[in-house]
Amino acid sequence: NLGWKGCSKQWYQRRVRATIEELDAKMREHETESHEGKRIVEAVWPIFKVHHQKSRYIYDLFYKRKAISRELYDYCLKEKIADANLIAKWKKDGYERLCCLRCIQVKDTNFGTNCICRVPREKLEEMKIVECVHCGCRGCSG
């Protein structure tokens, strides 16, 4: 039980909780599945994806649909149901579709640049498939 408070409509509170619990179950499933036949970095990609989905869900409910209260939104951030740092980046121009924070951390790259998934598709070679090493993203630059 996550102690969901602050949502004015009981039915919506249950719906939000149900979605988050479903994503948590998906996360646990990915954490326990076999990594046989995958590269080491590929094993965590599904976990990054679910983490992103949970944060995007809460972000959309609060900022886009205006469907949850500030109190419930703050609770989700405080309890780390959603990633506050990732959401803070989504609010900035150019980062609306950011996949994960590691892709913009220049200290994690050999040449001190952003991840390949942050390069706009029109600036890449034609027919080149891009895949981020950190999270498996195939292009989040817009």
Side-chain angles (χ1 to χ4, degrees), residues 39-123:
R39 294 182 298 169
I40 294 171
V41 293
E42 287 178 348
V44 295
W45 290 355
I47 296 167
F48 268 106
K49 186 177 178 182
V50 173
H51 174 76
H52 180 276
Q53 286 175 327
K54 280 173 50 176
S55 296
R56 180 56 78 172
Y57 178 66
I58 297 299
Y59 172 83
D60 285 344
L61 286 178
F62 186 71
Y63 288 104
K64 302 287 183 194
R65 293 194 244 161
K66 311 239 185 281
I68 61 174
S69 67
R70 165 61 76 175
E71 191 177 354
L72 181 57
Y73 173 74
D74 288 342
Y75 175 82
C76 289
L77 297 182
K78 188 180 110 210
E79 296 298 317
K80 304 208 184 310
I81 295 167
D83 188 334
N85 294 322
L86 187 57
I87 289 175
K89 287 294 181 188
W90 287 338
K91 293 189 281 184
K92 295 180 180 180
D93 284 343
Y95 294 97
E96 298 89 355
R97 295 181 55 210
L98 181 66
C99 55
C100 73
L101 293 171
R102 287 191 68 191
C103 290
I104 58 171
Q105 292 175 345
V106 295
K107 65 182 179 189
D108 289 345
T109 62
N110 292 337
F111 302 106
T113 59
N114 287 333
C115 179
I116 189 71
C117 69
R118 297 294 300 154
V119 176
R121 290 190 193 275
E122 60 270 4
K123 294 192 177 183

Side-chain angles (χ1 to χ4, degrees), residues 12-62:
Y12 207 87
Q13 181 179 338
R14 283 192 298 266
R15 193 163 141 204
V16 170
R17 181 189 295 172
T19 302
I20 294 299
E21 287 174 352
E22 184 181 309
L23 289 170
D24 283 340
K26 213 189 272 190
M27 177 88 76
R28 282 188 296 280
E29 186 180 304
H30 289 306
E31 288 171 342
T32 59
E33 73 184 11
S34 171
H35 306 310
E36 195 172 315
K38 294 181 181 177
R39 294 182 298 169
I40 294 171
V41 293
E42 287 178 348
V44 295
W45 290 355
I47 296 167
F48 268 106
K49 186 177 178 182
V50 173
H51 174 76
H52 180 276
Q53 286 175 327
K54 280 173 50 176
S55 296
R56 180 56 78 172
Y57 178 66
I58 297 299
Y59 172 83
D60 285 344
L61 286 178
F62 186 71

